[in-house]
Amino acid sequence: PCRPDEPTIPARFEPFDAATYRIAFDGSVDPMRELVIDPDVAWMVYLGGGASDGAESLLIDEQSGVYLAGHTWSRDFRTQRNSFHGGNFDAYLCHADAQGELQWMTYLGGGGDEVATCTARNDSGQIFIVGWTSSSDFEGRSNSYGGKGSDGYLATLDTNGVLQWMLYLGGDGFDYGTCLNCERPDEVLVSGGTDSTNFPGAVNAPQGGLDAFIVCAGIEGGIRWMQYYGGTRYDIGYAMAIDINGDLHLTGHTNSPDFAGRENDHRGAFDGYLARTNALGEILSMRYFGGSGDDRGRSLARDARGGSTCTGRTNSSDFEGRINEYHGNQDVFVIHFSRLGTVEWMTYVGGSEDDNASQSVCLHSSGQIMLVGDTQSDDMPEAINDSSGESDAFLATLNEQGVILWSRYLGGGDDDSASGLLIAPDDSVFICGWTRSQDFEGRTNEHHGGSSDAFLVRLVSGVIRRLAVRATCPSGGPIRIEWSGASPGGQVALIYARNTGSFEIPNNFPCAGTQLGLGSNQIQLAWQGGAGQNGSRTLNTTAGPGACGGYLQLLDLTTCGTSNVARVE
């Protein structure tokens, strides 16, 4: 079961057609309650060589294969297509097929050290990698190294792992690339931290100390513009997302009380922040978030309604917007912002020891929120399995109201940490990171040696597509209705009744014989129309004041599936 105090329903796989299995239940299912199918590890593979290896970020291809980026100390990384460049460690990109079989690996770097922190792919098929380097001779460079300590970099490769070009990002100080975004058609955006006062392409002045930055580069290479963000102390950017209006949202953390564009006051030692900029990087708004302690934003994703979800770590027991209680030591946080940037809710995720979030959070079209990280807690909330080592990787899922549905430990008897996460089109879940465990659950090969290996794990049934509806009726008439989990691009019907109960749709109507959770008192078809491109939609409508207090249920006319019963209040 998802929660220990809820019943278990026996389930099994059975053939559906020549290529598909479905899950069949050997017990009764209450249609009014949420059904959660425990995610299971399909396979796990170790990646690396005889020294230390780790994976930081991943993306999927059209055949459900996976590209992974990270850094490695190993000169003998399996399936290498080129040679280690030098220094202590190189960045790399590798490709595994849908079964986890490693196809090839490419070293990236020069005579110094390189780290890859993030990878992404645009609609043209270009693969971009960002990170930092201390090499003045980085292979494929199209400009000159600028730093005394390190430069950020942006590199692009084709789908066969062939390096196209590499661009240094930085000035004469320390510069770090942490994340990138290539949702816009002809440009790539990179963020991170810099204390260089002469960053190439800058269109504004440094703010002081360490600044966050955004660089806009063309997909053919070359810096178009760069903007500094922050205040007089320490500021860094860790994640970006573009909203439905084309504005860019940036999160990270700061201890500057004078962050440019701020709309509220700094509270703790470090605060998370959410900044919004226009297409030229000019700041439109900025909001601190957190509590009186140390709060650090690490990842960001936008939803279909224009809001955004941010995760990170915190030791603030008084975090703004919290809907549950702090668990102790250090917790992961999940915070949701409205389209206007106001805090709608915040949830602590963790146990009684230290818990950390990675730079990966994913939003599913059903509204579920998934995140990964590492934890020393053996009492993670809603855990469906037991911890294996002193520190485990974990996967957690919340619903769109911030309620924790389940969490799952991943790893073996030693230390494990998850860094990257993605949800495949078939709803399976891929996770990458690093591990010291030679007995990692689900392994299909052997640990390669050294202090750590990179890992890639695939879970099945990690996401539950659930048709859901909710309605609000704030003041005598205007009604807001939201749903998710319907058939993308299909048709749905909203059924209204004055009371709950059991009603069977009669003959000569769509989905005849389907049982609704509504009573027969004043039952009627309230609305019928498109489900939305991704199966989610919001309706704002007007009804008489008598509608408030009744009940709605959504009927998917493609599958004849029904949602929860939502009270209009």
Side-chain angles (χ1 to χ4, degrees), residues 91 108-110 113-115 127-146 150-157 162-170 217-223:
L108 301 168
D113 298 332
E114 284 79 35
V115 167
I127 298 172
F128 295 94
I129 297 177
V130 69
W132 62 263
T133 178
S134 63
S135 298
S136 60
D137 58 345
F138 198 117
E139 178 189 10
R141 60 194 179 278
S142 57
N143 62 343
S144 298
Y145 182 70
S150 66
D151 270 5
Y153 72 84
L154 174 66
T156 183
L157 301 90
V162 178
L163 181 65
Q164 305 296 298
W165 52 259
M166 172 272 179
L167 183 68
Y168 289 108
L169 305 173
I219 59 173
E220 72 289 342
I223 295 174

Side-chain angles (χ1 to χ4, degrees), residues 50 70 85 170 179 192 213 334 338 413 432 456 469 497 537 544 568:
H85 289 92
C179 60
F213 70 83
V334 183
S338 71
C432 72
L456 175 64
V469 65
R537 189 167 174 177
V568 184

Side-chain angles (χ1 to χ4, degrees), residues 74-97:
S74 296
R75 273 69 170 169
D76 58 345
F77 200 113
R78 303 300 190 269
T79 69
Q80 60 186 271
R81 286 185 167 175
N82 59 348
S83 299
F84 190 86
H85 289 92
N88 296 306
F89 43 88
D90 271 1
Y92 72 84
L93 179 73
C94 68
H95 181 254
D97 65 20

Side-chain angles (χ1 to χ4, degrees), residues 255-305:
N255 68 353
S256 297
D258 54 350
F259 199 115
R262 63 194 180 278
E263 297 178 343
N264 61 341
D265 294 328
H266 182 72
R267 293 188 64 189
F270 274 88
D271 279 353
Y273 69 85
L274 183 67
R276 182 170 61 93
T277 80
N278 63 17
L280 296 176
E282 298 163 336
I283 197 161
L284 301 174
S285 64
M286 176 273 180
R287 179 184 180 89
Y288 297 106
F289 60 84
S292 56
D294 190 333
D295 315 292
R296 306 197 179 211
R298 296 298 302 273
S299 60
L300 184 67
R302 61 180 178 86
D303 62 33
R305 302 194 305 273

Side-chain angles (χ1 to χ4, degrees), residues 280-440:
L280 296 176
E282 298 163 336
I283 197 161
L284 301 174
S285 64
M286 176 273 180
R287 179 184 180 89
Y288 297 106
F289 60 84
S292 56
D294 190 333
D295 315 292
R296 306 197 179 211
R298 296 298 302 273
S299 60
L300 184 67
R302 61 180 178 86
D303 62 33
R305 302 194 305 273
S308 57
T309 299
C310 178
T311 69
R313 61 181 176 89
T314 178
N315 64 10
S316 296
S317 60
D318 56 348
F319 202 114
E320 171 191 13
R322 61 193 180 279
I323 62 173
N324 63 343
E325 296 301 318
Y326 181 65
H327 295 95
N329 277 4
Q330 176 179 280
D331 273 2
V332 173
F333 70 80
V334 183
I335 187 169
H336 187 264
F337 299 94
S338 71
R339 180 177 55 84
L340 300 177
T342 57
V343 175
E344 294 192 332
W345 52 258
M346 172 271 175
T347 299
Y348 294 105
V349 179
S352 54
E353 301 297 333
D354 284 348
D355 315 291
N356 290 288
S358 77
Q359 281 180 245
S360 292
V361 62
C362 289
L363 305 186
H364 189 260
S365 59
S366 67
Q368 291 176 16
I369 301 162
M370 304 190 82
L371 65 146
V372 294
D374 59 81
T375 178
Q376 296 178 16
S377 301
D378 59 8
D379 55 351
M380 285 287 285
E382 312 299 351
I384 62 174
N385 65 335
D386 296 326
S387 61
S388 301
E390 182 176 343
S391 177
D392 277 351
F394 75 86
L395 169 67
T397 295
L398 291 73
N399 69 15
E400 57 189 333
Q401 288 79 42
V403 177
I404 301 169
L405 299 177
W406 52 263
S407 60
R408 194 189 201 287
Y409 295 101
L410 298 164
D414 211 320
D415 293 338
D416 318 284
S417 179
S419 304
L421 166 71
L422 62 83
I423 303 172
D426 65 356
D427 287 344
S428 60
V429 177
F430 290 91
I431 299 169
C432 72
W434 62 264
T435 178
R436 294 192 175 102
S437 298
Q438 297 189 26
D439 57 346
F440 200 114

Side-chain angles (χ1 to χ4, degrees), residues 471-473 476-479 481 496-499 522 524 526 541-552 566-569:
T472 55
C473 191
I479 296 177
I481 303 166
Y496 175 85
R498 291 298 304 171
N499 63 311
Q522 298 181 26
Q524 59 183 294
T541 186
T542 302
C548 298
Y551 296 87
L552 278 174
R567 184 174 172 84
V568 184
E569 58 183 0

